Amino acid sequence: MTEREARNHILEEVRRYAAEFHQKKPWDGQRVPYAGRVYDEEEMVNLVDAALEFWLTAGRYTAAFEEAFARWLGVGDCVFVNSGSSANLLAFMALTSPLLGERRVCPGDEVITVAAGFPTTVAPMVQYGAVPVFVDITLPTYNVDVSALEEARTERTKAVMLAHTLGNPFDLEAVCTFCEKHGLWLIEDNCDALGALYQGRKTGTFGHLATSSFYPPHHMTTGEGGAVYTSDPLLSKILRSLRDWGRDCTCAPGEDGRCRHRFDRQYGALPLGYDHKYVYSHFGYNLKATDLQAAVGLAQLEKLPEFICLRRKHFDYLRRELSPLAEKVILPEPQKGSEPSWFGFLLTCRKKGERERAVRALEERGIQTRPLFAGNLILHPCFDRLRREKTGWRQVGELPVTNRVLEDTFWVGVAPILDEAQMYYLASCLKDVLGGGRK
């Protein structure tokens, strides 16, 4: 038996194993998760195929995934990394590169963002020494209040970094116009919105940089994993340098001499001819993902359009079923001109104190709920020192809507893992608990 024949035999057995033992189990009638993995034998076959090669780190599957994902988005380049949080770190730190000259973000420079979201949209700013400037959000879109952008800007403002909240695009026309007017960088945190459209164009393609997460609850998964993408060649070069230890050379790991200048140039104060593979133009990281993850991602990417359609279908079902509850809860609305790729279904209780009661009742019935991530990040322990010292961040106004979301908002799932019976049960429980329908 040849190596190829042996591999094909193993993969066929994996396919049979997955079909037999990894089929989705019938719903137990008790628990409705907010999200979960959706996969079949294709992911397992790809995963084992990559394992049999035993390359382990980034290799041919990574290159194929980066190319396919960039093509699906319609961007120039995609850089695969080990998590969505690493993607946000990498995207932000790219803007601090000396290669950007006067436009680089330096310590003390300001970045406009919101506090109602996930912490790793903001963490890289604080860790680097930039100053996050928090503006409020609006209901019922849960996205940035664009009317506050001008007030937030100062001479130190260099960038805007915002997430599309739970798959609902923020007002990209207003934000892009603001950034263009003042020469600011824009980073789209697209981690919860993969496949969302704004004026017919995919989110993640408007900013200078954008990020995705492939953690299991997201629109597609590689287990751990994420991506940064851009159509700017210089930013692409910076991203790959920072991801790969900060090195200057663009040859892939294990590849020598593609640039044809490995030993014949001068870099910095190094001796002439120093090995270019070990020249470092940035203080970088190792944020690479593995071929095992990329192999799963390639199979998931084929299913992504179907996943997005199911998320929209589930959202629309809940919106119809819960419309009689509009006097009790604020129902989510898409941003004008957008077609969201929903990550969840947000609900804001109109009555103070009602959120806690509703969440407890839903959880008792097996319905997984989540708050809008940090709610108001400024109030978390990670900001204790900054609050005491009254330094390191600014906010525009008292952020009343952000604080309301902190107190009164929760969300439930619309993930493709849910079937019709689960969605019916979810809607029935919501109507009963929130007071608008039968149990």
Side-chain angles (χ1 to χ4, degrees):
M1 182 182 288
T2 66
E3 189 275 339
R4 183 72 258 174
E5 289 170 338
R7 176 177 292 206
N8 287 340
H9 173 72
I10 291 169
L11 296 181
E12 188 56 38
E13 289 300 310
V14 169
R15 189 179 298 277
R16 281 198 286 266
Y17 171 85
E20 178 71 22
F21 298 108
H22 279 262
Q23 291 183 358
K24 183 181 176 181
K25 296 178 181 178
W27 181 45
D28 61 9
Q30 297 180 350
R31 185 173 180 272
V32 179
Y34 82 94
R37 304 165 299 167
V38 181
Y39 66 99
D40 59 25
E41 59 268 24
E42 299 304 326
E43 283 83 353
M44 295 197 77
V45 166
N46 275 16
L47 179 63
V48 173
D49 188 44
L52 291 172
E53 291 189 358
F54 215 69
W55 186 256
L56 300 182
T57 185
R60 73 173 182 92
Y61 268 112
T62 296
F65 177 71
E66 289 180 335
E67 181 181 349
F69 193 66
R71 186 168 58 249
W72 188 86
L73 285 162
V75 296
D77 191 26
C78 160
V79 179
F80 189 38
V81 294
N82 56 15
S83 75
S85 296
S86 292
N88 280 343
L89 171 66
L90 185 60
F92 175 79
M93 290 304 295
L95 299 184
T96 72
S97 170
L99 298 181
L100 298 178
E102 293 183 358
R103 291 198 66 191
R104 70 180 291 206
V105 176
C106 297
D109 285 341
E110 296 181 345
V111 182
I112 297 172
T113 188
V114 300
F118 202 75
T120 57
T121 309
V122 176
M125 308 171 198
V126 178
Q127 291 160 348
Y128 174 71
V131 178
V133 179
F134 296 105
V135 298
D136 210 357
I137 61 173
T138 61
L139 295 176
T141 64
Y142 298 88
N143 277 312
V144 60
D145 181 356
V146 294
S147 70
L149 292 176
E150 289 290 350
E151 185 180 355
R153 191 186 71 88
T154 70
E155 292 183 357
R156 297 303 303 267
T157 305
K158 287 286 185 70
V160 175
M161 187 168 180
L162 296 167
H164 301 291
T165 304
L166 286 197
N168 194 11
F170 57 76
D171 187 342
L172 278 157
E173 182 175 9
V175 172
C176 288
T177 298
F178 171 75
C179 289
E180 290 166 7
K181 176 182 177 182
H182 299 292
L184 307 178
W185 298 107
L186 173 60
I187 300 176
E188 293 177 72
D189 182 335
N190 201 38
C191 289
D192 295 338
L194 189 58
L197 302 176
Y198 183 83
Q199 296 180 355
R201 178 175 158 189
K202 288 175 181 170
T203 57
T205 66
F206 291 80
H208 300 91
L209 295 154
T211 61
S212 280
S213 173
F214 305 131
Y215 193 63
H218 284 94
H219 290 67
M220 56 172 281
T221 186
T222 59
E224 300 289 350
V228 188
Y229 28 105
T230 184
S231 291
D232 184 313
L234 177 56
L235 289 176
S236 175
K237 176 183 177 180
I238 294 168
L239 289 171
R240 292 188 176 275
S241 173
L242 285 168
R243 182 195 64 177
D244 299 353
W245 309 286
R247 66 189 189 138
D248 194 76
C249 182
T250 59
C251 291
E255 180 183 42
D256 295 342
R258 183 181 62 176
C259 61
R260 299 182 181 179
H261 296 288
R262 186 175 172 192
F263 299 113
D264 64 357
R265 289 188 173 182
Q266 175 100 38
Y267 299 95
L270 293 169
L272 176 65
Y274 194 81
D275 191 342
H276 189 215
K277 285 182 70 68
Y278 289 88
V279 173
Y280 302 94
S281 51
H282 295 94
F283 291 105
Y285 312 90
N286 179 2
L287 302 178
K288 296 191 301 298
T290 69
D291 253 21
L292 302 172
Q293 294 163 283
V296 173
L298 276 171
Q300 285 274 292
L301 188 56
E302 294 292 323
K303 300 178 174 69
L304 181 57
E306 178 186 357
F307 292 164
I308 294 168
C309 286
L310 283 170
R311 287 180 175 276
R312 288 172 176 155
K313 177 183 176 182
H314 291 163
F315 180 93
D316 290 345
Y317 172 74
L318 288 181
R319 192 68 176 71
R320 288 193 305 271
E321 290 294 307
L322 301 182
S323 59
L325 299 180
E327 292 184 359
K328 304 225 179 242
V329 290
I330 298 173
L331 298 172
E333 293 285 352
Q335 170 63 40
K336 184 179 179 181
S338 77
E339 187 177 356
S341 179
W342 296 104
F343 188 54
F345 192 93
L346 279 155
L347 294 157
T348 297
C349 297
R350 295 188 183 275
K351 183 180 178 182
K352 277 290 181 187
E354 181 67 11
R355 195 265 305 267
E356 183 178 0
R357 183 199 68 80
V359 163
R360 287 181 181 273
L362 289 166
E363 293 280 351
E364 288 172 0
R365 299 178 190 210
I367 306 295
Q368 270 195 322
T369 66
R370 293 291 185 268
L372 184 49
F373 305 125
N376 184 344
L377 183 60
I378 300 167
L379 302 181
H380 285 253
C382 58
F383 264 79
D384 283 352
R385 179 182 62 82
L386 299 182
R387 279 201 308 277
R388 286 195 304 271
E389 297 174 1
K390 298 182 179 179
T391 187
W393 58 278
R394 287 198 302 111
Q395 68 183 66
V396 177
E398 297 300 317
L399 309 184
V401 181
T402 299
N403 287 324
R404 181 172 186 189
V405 164
L406 174 72
E407 298 278 350
D408 300 330
T409 299
F410 69 96
W411 60 276
V412 295
V414 295
I417 195 173
L418 303 176
D419 59 27
E420 289 186 6
Q422 288 171 301
M423 291 304 300
Y424 176 82
Y425 179 71
L426 172 58
S428 298
C429 288
L430 284 167
K431 286 188 284 188
D432 182 51
V433 167
L434 295 172
R438 59 191 177 88
K439 185 173 178 179

